[in-house]
Amino acid sequence: MTQETLQVNARSYRWMLRPIVIVCVDGCEPAYLDAAIAAGVAPYLARMRKTGADLLADCVVPSFTNPNNLSIVTGAPPSVHGICGNYFFDRELGQEVMMNDPKYLRAGTILAAFADEGAKVAVVTAKDKLRKLLGHKMKGICFSSEKSDEATIEENGIDDVVNMVGMPVPSVYSAELSEFVFAAGVKLMESSRPHLMYLSTTDYVQHKAAPGSPAANAFYAMMDGYLAQLDALGATIVLTADHGMNDKHGADGSPNVIYLQDVLDEWYGPEKARVILPITDPYVVHHGALGSFATVYAPDEFTAAQWIERIKQVPGMESVLSRAEAAKRFELPPDRIGDIVVVSNRDTVIGTSASRHDLSALEVPLRSHGGVSEQRVPLICNRPVTGIASSRRLRNFDALDIALNHAQ
Ligand code: ZN
Ligand code: ZN
């Protein structure tokens, strides 16, 4: 049964008149698009920006992958959906735990809501870690490039994916992992023509290659070709990013790291503070678990207030906030962040203890994200967008609002 509009997480969305494709390009600092277009390797993206809508938006902070992907598919910030990192300290369990289990989700997705009303929905992600969250309680197709050879009708709503896409299963550390997402999206649009499709890549290339570099331009040229095919198949495309990406190293190529656990241990003695890095995940090769955002657990609120004043003095810090301040400013769930939220500046990252980070796997100077400095992302559409007030602060999680309410 189709209806005029759907209400999801207190926002309304019009039913789609033609297929909608939302693309989340992981780590897409706006300069990547500018550079690829200037180099002439992304003619479709150039056309999309010229004849459609060329906007910028703010992602959610921490500018990490999971909080932002979940914001885009729920149309809401982490204070609503609950996912504010890859990793947090579960005070009830007294343990540091991964937050990629759907049990931590506090809101339904727009994707699931449309599927429940009869829309054909398809989700393709690069890494499998996101698949279960994005596809939570969603009827339809949902699989990852990483585990594409394991897809079954029962679990993923589709099987024989590798054959359909016509590409071998890529390495989890490769540009091809993202290419597989786009190739699958085009094949799905040709065969089953979903009403709503969500494609989400990985930032393997963006962690290594700066805007305009050969590897970056090759990535955007690849993407350009697939987007042109989706456009030719009649889809409305909205492209955004989960976060940007910046250099986080000095002139000598070594990373600018504040090892905050070491700093606090030196000041106050061991085992007083607990520093949590919500960027931590099983795939750390390309960033060594270093990003520009950390949370700190203190013994009590009074102590936290004293620590905040002192941490602010550490060179490279941008904002040091109490739990309440951070929850308000960044729209975060207060029960899943520490007593202190620490954001470092554009060229600096935060670690725990130096001994807990293995930087030997970093093959190139560190590029990473997590801070306010990576909050600006593209928000572009292949059709003109109307009815957006010029004063409105656009967010990447307005992508479905733009596609459904303002571009059709
Ligand atoms: Zn990301
Ligand atoms: Zn990343």
Side-chain angles (χ1 to χ4, degrees):
M1 180 198 77
T2 60
Q3 50 186 50
E4 288 277 287
T5 63
L6 273 190
Q7 295 286 327
V8 189
N9 300 323
R11 299 181 72 172
S12 68
Y13 299 93
R14 288 169 57 197
W15 198 264
M16 59 288 287
L17 302 174
R18 56 168 76 84
I20 304 288
V21 180
I22 307 294
V23 181
C24 176
V25 182
D26 200 325
C28 188
E29 185 72 22
Y32 282 110
L33 297 180
D34 300 338
I37 288 169
V41 300
Y44 174 71
L45 283 162
R47 179 152 63 90
M48 190 171 168
R49 294 215 308 197
K50 203 166 164 191
T51 62
D54 180 15
L55 304 166
L56 288 167
D58 287 334
C59 76
V60 307
V61 174
S63 48
F64 293 140
T65 300
N66 288 13
N68 277 286
N69 269 273
L70 270 299
S71 289
I72 295 168
V73 300
T74 58
S79 53
V80 173
H81 62 69
I83 306 297
C84 54
N86 294 331
Y87 204 66
F88 81 116
F89 180 64
D90 188 327
R91 276 196 154 134
E92 278 167 38
L93 291 175
Q95 255 176 23
E96 296 176 20
V97 292
M98 294 290 300
M99 216 188 302
N100 58 7
D101 190 300
K103 73 179 180 193
Y104 293 114
L105 254 181
R106 291 171 169 164
T109 71
I110 303 162
L111 308 174
F114 271 96
D116 283 343
E117 293 301 320
K120 271 196 279 185
V121 183
V123 174
V124 188
T125 66
K127 291 180 185 174
D128 205 60
K129 69 171 181 180
L130 254 180
R131 178 187 59 89
K132 278 205 169 111
L133 284 170
L134 293 175
H136 188 52
K137 294 189 175 164
M138 190 199 93
K139 295 177 206 133
I141 293 171
C142 183
F143 63 91
S144 68
S145 309
E146 182 185 354
K147 300 248 167 96
S148 49
D149 56 341
E150 297 172 22
T152 62
I153 299 277
E154 198 182 23
E155 174 73 17
N156 309 90
I158 189 170
D159 61 3
D160 211 15
V161 168
V162 178
N163 243 331
M164 174 191 79
V165 176
M167 270 176 76
V169 181
S171 153
V172 75
Y173 299 113
S174 71
E176 287 75 24
L177 197 73
S178 294
E179 176 168 6
F180 195 100
V181 172
F182 291 114
V186 169
K187 292 289 183 187
L188 286 170
M189 193 55 75
E190 285 170 350
S191 57
S192 62
R193 205 167 171 83
H195 298 107
L196 179 55
M197 189 150 70
Y198 185 69
L199 305 177
S200 182
T201 67
T202 167
D203 57 5
Y204 169 83
V205 168
Q206 289 79 2
H207 271 288
K208 287 176 176 291
S213 62
N217 281 351
F219 181 88
Y220 286 89
M222 172 278 289
M223 197 172 94
D224 194 79
Y226 290 106
L227 293 175
Q229 291 181 63
L230 289 168
D231 182 299
L233 289 163
T236 293
I237 304 169
V238 170
L239 181 150
T240 189
D242 54 349
H243 51 76
M245 185 76 70
N246 279 307
D247 284 342
K248 304 284 182 181
H249 58 81
D252 67 348
S254 65
N256 294 327
V257 192
I258 299 164
Y259 290 107
L260 189 57
Q261 185 72 57
D262 289 343
V263 170
L264 292 166
D265 288 354
E266 197 188 307
W267 288 348
Y268 304 112
E271 288 168 30
K272 288 277 197 308
R274 181 193 292 271
V275 175
I276 298 281
L277 305 177
I279 195 174
T280 307
D281 79 0
Y283 320 78
V284 297
V285 170
H286 50 286
H287 53 61
L290 293 167
S292 294
F293 183 98
T295 73
V296 182
Y297 291 81
D300 55 67
E301 235 173 83
F302 177 73
T303 311
Q306 291 183 316
W307 290 4
I308 286 172
E309 291 314 311
R310 204 160 168 196
I311 298 169
K312 279 181 180 170
Q313 309 306 318
V314 177
M317 290 304 181
E318 185 175 296
S319 309
V320 186
L321 307 169
S322 70
R323 176 201 312 276
E325 289 167 339
K328 183 159 181 265
R329 178 159 165 205
F330 301 134
E331 299 171 277
L332 298 172
D335 58 326
R336 292 189 183 162
I337 56 177
D339 302 296
I340 305 170
V341 164
V342 184
V343 181
S344 58
N345 66 20
R346 185 191 165 104
D347 64 3
T348 306
V349 288
I350 304 165
T352 55
S353 304
S355 61
R356 287 175 60 190
H357 291 271
D358 177 13
L359 304 185
S360 62
L362 286 178
E363 295 159 1
V364 293
L366 182 68
R367 294 172 56 72
S368 195
H369 50 92
V372 176
S373 44
E374 289 78 36
Q375 204 175 10
R376 276 311 235 189
V377 293
L379 183 64
I380 63 177
C381 180
N382 66 337
R383 298 181 195 284
V385 163
T386 55
I388 303 276
S390 59
S391 57
R392 176 170 162 189
R393 180 197 185 197
L394 288 167
R395 309 301 304 269
N396 60 350
F397 60 82
D398 292 326
L400 276 150
D401 173 48
I402 298 277
L404 293 163
N405 300 333
H406 297 283
Q408 58 173 4

